[in-house]
Amino acid sequence: MRKLVAAVIFVACTKDPSPDGDAQADATPGELPGDATPADRASADATLDEAPTDTAAPDAGVPDGEARDAGDGAAEDLARDARADTVDIAPGDASLDAAAPDGARDAALDGSPDAGGDGAAADALPAPPFDPPPSRVPVLTFQHDVQRTGANRRERALTPAALRAGRLFRDRAFVTDLDGDLYGQPLYVPDLEVAGARHDVLVVGTQRNSLYALDARTGATLWRRALAPAVPLERMPCGNIGPTTGLVSTPVIDLASSTLYAVAYNSIDGGYTRRFTLHVLDLRTGAHRPGRDAVLLPPTTNGSTWEPGSLGQRGAITLVNGRVYIPFGGLFNDCSIYHGWVVGVDAERTLDQRAYATPGIGAGIWSVGGVASDGTGSLYVTTGNARVPGSFGSTLLRLEATATGPVFRGRSRDYYTPSNHAYMDVSDSDFGAISPIVLPTHPGSRTPRMLFQGSKHGQGYLVDRDDLGGVGVVRMGIDEAVFSDGLYAAGLYGAPAAWSDGAAVYVFAPGRGARARGCTGVGGVTALRLTLRDGVSQFQVAWCTGSVSNPSAPAVSSDGDRGAVLWLTGVSPPELRAYDVSTGAEVYVSRGVDALESVRQWTPPVVTDGRVYVTQHRAVALYRLR
């Protein structure tokens, strides 16, 4: 039986003029010359983020969802090309690695109290607070886990009390030297052996297609791997990430095999022929795993043919059941024909590529969180606006992560399309701007296993992940989603976060514009607490942050069920903020000597081992306790 509750539309759609909205991605798109080869199919080119369209909306057509094998001779040739085009740079190369920190820098990283004053004054000070040893928590994927909760439940040092005491500060001895802009979230591995020494390691990728392993305490380069050349923006028909587009999405790490997987947009002829390559590297050295780099060339599926020139790979990739899942969508300004794709690549035999593609035209999968999973074989993605009926635009999809790749069964339990999907498509107020999240179990609910999803028209939705519900039907104000309500006047963007103390379940939803339910200010994060009404899950506003311009995806840290802190950044002014989850009180904001020079929109802070890493336009900043 479908679970029904009232759905309240808070505000009318506000069209966002720039789905990416990034101040650093403001280059004017150039015209695309004729393709160098027929395989390039320039008529299908587009830019790297979803963008508005004013065309007809889709009906709820059901594709067959089956995919065929990709291991043909053409793919093998392309894979060999990808390996040949890669520039190998060994660890310890003096021209690339940052100099080792000197003694003063080491001292600054030890966490000693500031020197100063005479001995008597120092003796009179209270003893510094005791900090528990770091928990050594790796961050191997976007938002900490495949569910995309953004929650680190093993953080013992960064407590609300420590933040209220003013102990968090920006460590300006931490300096990174990178060759291009950052978009993906950094990944973190503690106590990794690199070049014969143990390091805490931070992994980042740039728009010049360079992957870096950085010392997570100092910022020094441990190794750098230069991949095939990135694609010049001027060679694309439209776009807003430039001057080149390269490693945009967040990679994923398989810690058991010490393997890093990353997807790069590249070209070997100056951008006339464009392709996506999955790179497979040894995390300890940056060396390519022999024979495993592969150009992506999945088979035609649902009548959709692979057109790399028209696709963008913004969403984070994930590793589930031995396959790397890679989402694709349309690019900024919707300048050509494209489809939403999820390509599943065998992690060992990377020429084994299977895929699901949306039928019709449009319905790209482009939000930063990419593919979420329940960890047991279900994948969840959200599509943007579609151009023709039957394209599954503005839809939350469940795919099965099978041994042969992603499969869409096409049953009503496998997708949720809001009842107003036609309006969402034509007004570009679709689901595509924010990623789905698998929520912690809601005790006592008729639907304890749920997803949270938002939309550009400001609505938040709870959806039963065991039965997504098909096309919603509104009857006397009642919708077939478990629950929905209005949250923002100008939409939800990026990725949410979630946390539970074992009893209460919280969802932290970032958005823009005026907010509902008594929250003041414009933009920020709304903390929602799940409640029950006659056994049906709902959400209520617990508290709101102050105004935050274009907030990032939030992150949460806690010591188990206690001491939870919500972390987020804002773009203008660029700031790191922290809030006590139990009260909503702001306990830290980075101003003065702790100020940031810039913040990358939508990229969440990385919170682990008593440290907070913030992604800037071309650098990473470190915050830690005194």
Side-chain angles (χ1 to χ4, degrees):
M1 179 179 293
R2 192 78 63 240
K3 284 64 69 176
L4 305 176
V5 293
V8 182
I9 303 296
F10 169 51
V11 289
C13 159
T14 300
K15 190 165 183 176
D16 178 49
S18 172
D20 190 278
D22 196 311
Q24 285 299 102
D26 56 1
T28 302
E31 293 298 322
L32 179 69
D35 284 349
T37 66
D40 206 17
R41 300 181 285 264
S43 63
D45 289 350
T47 47
L48 204 80
D49 281 321
E50 185 87 345
T53 184
D54 296 318
T55 52
D59 297 329
V62 178
D64 58 31
E66 296 299 327
R68 294 186 293 275
D69 200 346
D72 58 16
E76 293 173 1
D77 291 342
L78 287 171
R80 285 193 294 270
D81 288 347
R83 290 190 289 273
D85 297 338
T86 301
V87 180
D88 288 333
I89 300 171
D93 189 323
S95 66
L96 295 170
D97 292 354
D102 57 24
R105 179 162 171 159
D106 287 340
L109 292 167
D110 285 340
S112 303
D114 293 340
D118 58 37
D123 291 341
L125 292 174
F130 168 76
D131 287 327
S135 301
R136 319 310 286 157
V137 178
V139 181
L140 308 177
T141 190
F142 182 83
Q143 286 288 62
H144 273 273
D145 50 44
V146 296
Q147 293 82 8
R148 306 309 198 202
T149 65
N152 175 6
R153 297 179 57 87
R154 294 163 55 197
E155 177 52 59
R156 296 182 296 202
L158 294 170
T159 64
L163 300 180
R164 280 193 294 266
R167 298 184 55 213
L168 190 70
F169 76 105
R170 181 176 177 184
D171 183 352
R172 293 192 176 273
F174 181 90
V175 178
T176 58
D177 182 13
L178 309 175
D179 68 0
D181 279 5
L182 303 175
Y183 276 77
Q185 172 201 291
L187 302 178
Y188 171 81
V189 178
D191 197 32
L192 182 71
E193 183 173 341
V194 179
R198 311 299 295 191
H199 299 268
D200 293 347
V201 174
L202 207 64
V203 176
V204 299
T206 74
Q207 295 318 297
R208 294 189 65 183
N209 275 346
S210 290
L211 282 165
Y212 290 82
L214 307 174
D215 188 300
R217 294 178 180 271
T218 69
T221 299
L222 301 173
W223 56 254
R224 170 188 169 234
R225 187 64 57 203
L227 308 175
V231 177
L233 179 62
E234 64 186 13
R235 292 288 183 253
M236 299 171 67
C238 58
N240 66 347
I241 294 180
T244 58
T245 299
L247 289 154
V248 182
S249 65
T250 300
V252 67
I253 291 172
D254 177 23
L255 193 57
S257 64
S258 190
T259 300
L260 170 67
Y261 298 88
V263 175
Y265 200 34
N266 60 72
S267 175
I268 59 173
D269 59 7
Y272 292 97
T273 304
R274 299 179 291 281
R275 62 193 189 183
F276 292 95
T277 303
L278 176 64
H279 293 278
V280 185
L281 306 182
D282 186 325
L283 181 61
R284 296 162 297 186
T285 66
H288 296 269
R289 295 291 191 193
R292 289 172 63 184
D293 282 4
V295 171
L296 297 182
L297 192 64
T300 296
T301 179
N302 288 335
S304 299
T305 302
W306 180 248
E307 304 281 0
S310 69
L311 297 173
Q313 207 284 292
R314 181 86 186 241
I317 69 177
T318 194
L319 180 61
V320 176
N321 294 346
R323 280 189 182 266
V324 180
Y325 288 94
I326 309 165
F328 293 87
L331 310 174
F332 182 78
N333 271 347
D334 268 359
C335 56
S336 192
I337 296 172
Y338 64 88
H339 309 277
W341 286 79
V342 177
V343 180
V345 181
D346 188 291
E348 296 289 334
R349 297 174 292 112
T350 51
L351 292 182
D352 179 0
Q353 302 174 11
R354 314 297 178 95
Y356 167 78
T358 56
I361 301 174
I365 301 163
W366 65 274
S367 53
V368 292
V371 181
S373 175
D374 61 6
T376 64
S378 292
L379 309 173
Y380 302 95
V381 295
T382 306
T383 65
N385 55 288
R387 301 186 190 178
V388 298
S391 301
F392 275 110
S394 302
T395 295
L396 174 61
L397 297 169
R398 177 173 60 200
L399 309 175
E400 295 179 15
T402 72
T404 56
V407 174
F408 178 61
R409 300 295 183 190
R411 305 164 299 189
S412 63
R413 65 187 301 110
D414 296 320
Y415 68 96
Y416 173 67
T417 306
S419 57
N420 62 338
H421 63 95
Y423 171 75
M424 294 171 73
D425 279 331
V426 298
S427 63
D428 189 40
S429 54
D430 51 81
F431 272 177
I434 190 167
S435 306
I437 182 175
V438 178
L439 298 179
T441 300
H442 189 200
S445 172
R446 297 179 192 172
T447 57
R449 293 156 44 91
M450 292 182 290
L451 302 158
F452 178 82
Q453 180 62 50
S455 71
K456 286 185 187 176
H457 75 289
Q459 199 84 349
Y461 300 80
L462 295 177
V463 183
D464 181 358
R465 74 174 191 260
D466 293 324
D467 185 356
L468 300 188
V471 179
V473 178
V474 175
R475 298 185 181 92
M476 299 180 64
I478 297 176
D479 197 297
E480 288 189 1
V482 173
F483 183 75
S484 63
D485 202 357
L487 298 174
Y488 291 93
L492 285 81
Y493 289 82
W499 181 80
S500 173
D501 63 4
V505 177
Y506 292 88
V507 181
F508 304 99
R512 302 174 182 174
R515 293 177 284 184
R517 305 294 179 263
C519 296
T520 60
V522 176
V525 170
T526 300
L528 306 172
R529 180 169 176 165
L530 301 195
T531 61
L532 291 172
R533 182 173 181 179
D534 298 327
V536 177
S537 294
Q538 302 181 353
F539 56 70
Q540 295 180 348
V541 175
W543 48 268
C544 293
T545 67
S547 296
V548 179
S549 171
N550 291 340
S552 69
V556 189
S557 62
S558 70
D559 183 6
D561 293 340
R562 61 185 183 179
V565 176
L566 178 74
W567 304 84
L568 71 146
T569 60
V571 170
S572 181
E575 291 177 334
L576 170 68
R577 296 169 178 252
Y579 299 84
D580 185 333
V581 168
S582 65
T583 64
E586 185 177 88
V587 291
Y588 178 78
V589 60
S590 61
R591 292 174 181 159
V593 296
D594 290 350
L596 290 159
E597 294 75 29
S598 64
V599 165
R600 179 60 67 197
Q601 176 180 280
W602 299 345
T603 304
V606 174
V607 185
T608 187
D609 285 357
R611 309 180 198 129
V612 183
Y613 297 96
V614 176
T615 302
Q616 300 186 271
H617 289 161
R618 200 164 178 159
V620 179
L622 168 63
Y623 291 79
R624 62 182 181 88
L625 296 179
R626 303 179 195 278

